[in-house]
């Protein structure tokens, strides 16, 4: 368990919001406090297992945090990134909606797109294709990076097609890196 989660759970237990018993289901309030501590504190690598240790309502709490109008940008970005650990339909819908909302800052849309590809994998190839052809270079770069972790012939084909069309050098570099990851994965098989 990471230090941030341990600290958050310790604070929650000390205030009596969460029973120390492993069998006790943590209250939604306690889970929200632990998630808030994660979103506002240092952001170590958080795994899906670590999120599940907080409690069963973490995914819905993260969805609320990602869309709350009174939140700052950084907690929303972190919440979107952490939603990449969950594969549910409501989370996929939220990530797709965020990605497609042109009124939102590119940073939020980029993180939502990466989280969508990470959580949905090959189910999100249509979204990845749209991101690779988007006018925003950072969305194209995020798509290339995320596709690098999906060593599938369809993803490889998309990356190769885009490689010849991409005008930005740093996006082409991301595409080449992703293709290299695909080749390494194919050799390892």
């Amino acid at each position: 368990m990471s230090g941030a989660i341990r600290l958050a759970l310790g604070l929650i237990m000390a205030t009596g919001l969460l029973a120390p018993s492993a069998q006790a289901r943590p209250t939604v309030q306690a889970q929200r406090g632990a998630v808030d501590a994660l979103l506002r504190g240092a952001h170590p690598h958080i795994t899906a297992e670590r999120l599940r240790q907080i409690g069963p309502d973490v995914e819905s709490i993260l969805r609320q945090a990602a869309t709350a109008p009174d939140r700052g940008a950084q907690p929303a970005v972190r919440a979107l990134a952490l939603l990449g650990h969950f594969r549910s339909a409501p989370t996929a819908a939220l990530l797709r909606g965020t990605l497609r909302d042109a009124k939102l800052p590119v940073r939020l849309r980029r993180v939502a797109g990466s989280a969508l590809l990470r959580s949905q994998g090959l189910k999100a190839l249509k979204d990845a294709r749209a991101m690779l052809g988007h006018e925003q270079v950072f969305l194209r770069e995020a798509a290339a990076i995320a596709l690098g972790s999906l060593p599938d012939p369809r993803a490889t084909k998309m990356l190769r097609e885009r490689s010849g069309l991409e005008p930005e050098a740093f996006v082409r570099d991301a595409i080449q890196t992703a293709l290299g990851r695909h080749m390494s994965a194919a050799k390892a098989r």
Side-chain angles (χ1 to χ4, degrees), residues 14-186:
T15 60
L17 296 174
L18 178 64
S21 164
Q23 269 59 21
R25 175 186 162 110
T27 66
V28 173
Q29 183 179 4
Q31 293 174 67
R32 186 168 282 119
V35 168
D36 281 344
L38 284 176
L39 297 179
R40 298 196 181 283
H43 190 51
H45 179 71
I46 304 294
T47 64
E49 180 58 33
R50 288 182 181 165
L51 289 171
R52 284 186 192 91
Q53 289 172 353
I54 294 172
D57 301 307
V58 169
E59 183 178 4
S60 63
I61 293 167
L62 285 170
R63 284 196 305 265
Q64 291 168 4
T67 58
D70 61 335
R71 290 279 180 154
Q74 188 61 33
V77 167
R78 288 181 176 173
L80 287 169
L82 291 173
L83 283 169
H85 291 295
F86 299 95
R87 296 178 183 217
S88 72
T91 292
L94 170 72
L95 294 172
R96 278 190 179 98
T98 302
L99 172 63
R100 294 175 182 162
D101 188 345
K103 292 180 251 169
L104 292 175
V106 172
R107 182 176 181 202
L108 285 176
R109 296 172 66 201
R110 177 183 181 180
V111 171
S114 295
L116 177 65
L117 293 174
R118 194 170 60 251
S119 72
Q120 300 301 307
L122 296 174
K123 292 180 189 175
L125 283 179
K126 182 178 178 182
D127 300 290
R129 183 175 300 284
M131 284 178 69
L132 277 175
H134 200 276
E135 66 185 34
Q136 290 286 334
V137 295
F138 296 112
L139 290 179
R140 296 195 308 266
E141 179 193 32
I145 291 168
L147 283 170
S149 63
L150 294 174
D152 180 83
R154 294 168 289 184
T156 303
K157 181 180 177 188
M158 263 195 269
L159 288 165
R160 283 195 178 124
E161 288 171 357
R162 187 62 201 178
S163 181
L165 302 172
E166 180 54 52
E168 295 293 330
F170 74 95
V171 179
R172 281 193 309 271
D173 288 345
I175 291 170
Q176 292 305 315
T177 300
L179 287 169
R181 291 178 73 187
H182 285 210
M183 287 175 28
S184 295

